[in-house]
Amino acid sequence: MKKTILTLLLLLLILPLSAEVTYGVRAGGAYSSLLQRRDDLLKSGGRFGYSIAGLMDIRLYHRLSLRPELVFINQGGSYYTRYGFPDAVQHKCNYFSVQVPVNVMYTFTYEGVKFGAGGGPCIDVPLWGHTKTNGHRRLMDFGTRTGDDLKAFDLGVNVGINIEYSRFFFAINAFCGVLNRSPLKKEAEPSLYQNNVTFSLGYMFRR
């Protein structure tokens, strides 16, 4: 995993030196949820937050481009633990993460409006946050083996569409986590996955 991340970062540093690059920023609202799978049933608890991002659009070939982003996002949701006990425990969490999606985008222009769609892998690293457990609020401690907080790393798939006109654009991005974020491997504990959808307004600094 470390080698893959280092290779990706090196590639992102080299590509702008030999390709046409455009920079941009975006900000908007986010709806996130923690999805649990138990007995082939899906249950989720969501919340509203926000995200701020900087991005590069690196032209690869004709209408194809590589679009890495650096995203600061407020996300979370609710989930349950201790299903093996008489009463399950609900956790409502609100935390901040840094996400690094790397999308391959296909873009075309119609009547002066640019349309784009694409997708790719995304890394999610939680920073800090808090959770409420049975009404008691406390700070989250990601990645501990003895607590009920989320794991300290996530990997997912990011897909997005954007509509651009006169350097301003509207974007919808969706992140679907593929790693089980459940803190402990206990008997009868369901799998837990983080998901979010963001709606953003942005600006491209085109020459």
Side-chain angles (χ1 to χ4, degrees):
M1 180 61 70
K2 290 183 179 180
K3 291 183 178 180
T4 302
I5 295 174
L6 290 175
T7 302
L8 180 60
L9 291 176
L10 182 62
L11 182 64
L12 294 180
L13 290 174
I14 293 176
L15 276 176
L17 299 178
S18 57
E20 179 184 340
V21 181
T22 304
Y23 297 91
V25 293
R26 64 175 179 85
Y31 177 78
S32 59
S33 63
L34 285 163
L35 186 68
Q36 286 187 302
R37 182 184 295 275
R38 175 176 167 82
D39 298 330
D40 295 327
L41 297 176
L42 296 177
K43 297 182 179 181
S44 65
R47 66 176 308 276
F48 289 96
Y50 60 89
S51 72
I52 303 171
L55 60 94
M56 289 192 300
D57 188 89
I58 306 169
R59 186 173 181 181
L60 299 176
Y61 180 76
H62 291 303
R63 295 177 178 177
L64 289 178
S65 64
L66 188 67
R67 182 169 291 191
E69 299 187 9
L70 182 63
V71 184
F72 179 74
I73 185 169
N74 173 228
Q75 60 180 346
S78 61
Y79 62 99
Y80 291 87
T81 59
R82 302 178 188 176
Y83 271 99
F85 291 83
D87 296 313
V89 178
Q90 185 185 42
H91 307 269
K92 295 182 178 180
C93 62
N94 173 3
Y95 68 97
F96 296 88
S97 286
V98 169
Q99 292 183 344
V100 184
V102 182
N103 293 335
V104 175
M105 301 291 295
Y106 178 82
T107 305
F108 66 94
T109 303
Y110 179 77
E111 297 291 340
V113 181
K114 295 188 69 173
F115 299 87
C122 180
I123 297 170
D124 185 305
V125 180
L127 300 176
W128 72 86
H130 66 265
T131 183
K132 285 185 178 180
T133 304
N134 294 335
H136 177 67
R137 185 177 184 271
R138 61 178 177 81
L139 295 178
M140 299 184 73
D141 189 7
F142 300 99
T144 60
R145 295 180 177 274
T146 57
D148 290 327
D149 291 332
L150 305 179
K151 290 181 179 178
F153 178 79
D154 199 4
L155 180 66
V157 177
N158 186 84
V159 294
I161 60 173
N162 62 277
I163 303 172
E164 180 185 342
Y165 179 75
S166 186
R167 299 189 182 185
F168 294 93
F169 68 90
F170 170 73
I172 303 175
N173 293 275
F175 169 82
C176 299
V178 298
L179 299 183
N180 182 8
R181 301 294 298 280
S182 181
L184 297 175
K185 293 183 178 180
K186 301 176 182 177
E187 185 179 355
E189 288 291 339
S191 301
L192 179 65
Y193 302 94
Q194 179 72 71
N195 299 277
N196 61 64
V197 178
T198 60
F199 302 86
S200 306
L201 294 177
Y203 181 83
M204 299 297 291
F205 299 95
R206 299 190 181 278
R207 296 184 181 90

